[in-house]
Amino acid sequence: GKKVTSSTTFTAEKAEGSVEVVFTFDASVLEGTTVVAYENLIYKGVEVAIHADITDKDQTVYIPKVRTTAIADDTKDHVTEAKKDVTIVDTVSYEGLEVGREYTAKGVLMNKATGKAITVNGKEVTAESTFTAKAQKGTVDVTFKFDGSALEDTLIVVLETLYTEGKEVGIHAEIGDEAQTVYLPKIRTNAK
């Protein structure tokens, strides 16, 4: 409910120069939005200059929102067989991206019961997809292919992180999120 503001007091060393104004705030409530910083210069209590251009790309910061839905490719649902060739497709929904910018969605499969990464042959099961945002809002699929034969009775949760220029800009990592979960059930029979 409060404005996000910041200020820097400085003494000009030259007629031209620059100073940093650092804004520190909880951006989680702004997921999926674009913010633009406005600046005004005050001298002896009087506003002497202002920069308030809503279209200025240099003043714009994108705060992405990322959500995911994981399903097994064979069943098109949140359950599949614990077999040698499992494919999970995680559809990453995003909002608040910069159009024309390249992003990479990187995912890792987690064991819901242990909270640890799923490993196959000692390696974490990961996948990624690189794309250029055609709109601020959209989806991209991240496909995981792995040997799931040793994962009977496992709830797999897909965690996704969004990057641009090597920097993390969004994440969806809720271990309890049912939409991100695929179950590989265990079944045994005893016929007599």
Side-chain angles (χ1 to χ4, degrees), residues 160-179:
E160 294 283 357
T161 306
L162 188 65
Y163 295 88
T164 187
E165 297 180 2
K167 296 177 186 91
E168 180 182 313
V169 294
I171 190 166
H172 189 57
E174 295 177 28
I175 198 78
D177 188 340
E178 293 296 323

Side-chain angles (χ1 to χ4, degrees), residues 110-116 154-157 175-178 181:
M110 303 293 287
N111 183 319
K112 184 175 181 176
T114 66
K116 295 182 180 176
T154 302
L155 285 166
I156 295 174
V157 182
I175 198 78
D177 188 340
E178 293 296 323
T181 304

Side-chain angles (χ1 to χ4, degrees), residues 12-147:
E13 306 266 333
K14 298 178 183 176
E16 291 184 20
S18 65
V19 296
E20 288 186 355
V21 180
V22 179
F23 295 86
T24 304
F25 59 97
D26 178 2
S28 64
V29 297
L30 298 175
E31 274 188 316
T33 62
T34 304
V35 297
V36 181
Y38 284 4
E39 305 287 349
N40 57 345
L41 187 62
I42 299 171
Y43 176 71
K44 292 187 177 181
V46 177
E47 184 175 82
V48 295
I50 189 167
H51 183 81
D53 180 358
I54 195 77
T55 63
D56 188 337
K57 288 223 172 253
D58 290 335
Q59 297 287 103
T60 303
V61 176
Y62 298 85
I63 304 171
K65 177 180 182 180
V66 179
R67 296 294 180 265
T68 72
T69 302
I71 59 168
D73 191 49
D74 58 349
T75 64
K76 306 296 185 222
D77 206 342
H78 295 280
V79 63
T80 190
E81 180 184 355
K83 57 187 177 180
K84 187 152 184 68
D85 57 337
V86 175
T87 300
I88 293 176
V89 178
D90 193 33
T91 301
V92 179
S93 301
Y94 56 81
E95 295 177 33
L97 299 193
E98 180 180 0
V99 176
R101 181 181 283 268
E102 185 176 272
Y103 294 88
T104 300
K106 294 183 180 183
V108 61
L109 301 185
M110 303 293 287
N111 183 319
K112 184 175 181 176
T114 66
K116 295 182 180 176
I118 298 280
T119 57
V120 175
N121 298 323
K123 295 174 99 176
E124 290 184 359
V125 181
T126 62
E128 64 182 62
S129 181
T130 299
F131 64 100
T132 299
K134 292 185 170 79
Q136 283 194 331
K137 185 177 182 179
T139 63
V140 63
D141 287 342
V142 179
T143 303
F144 299 81
K145 294 183 179 198
F146 59 99
D147 180 352

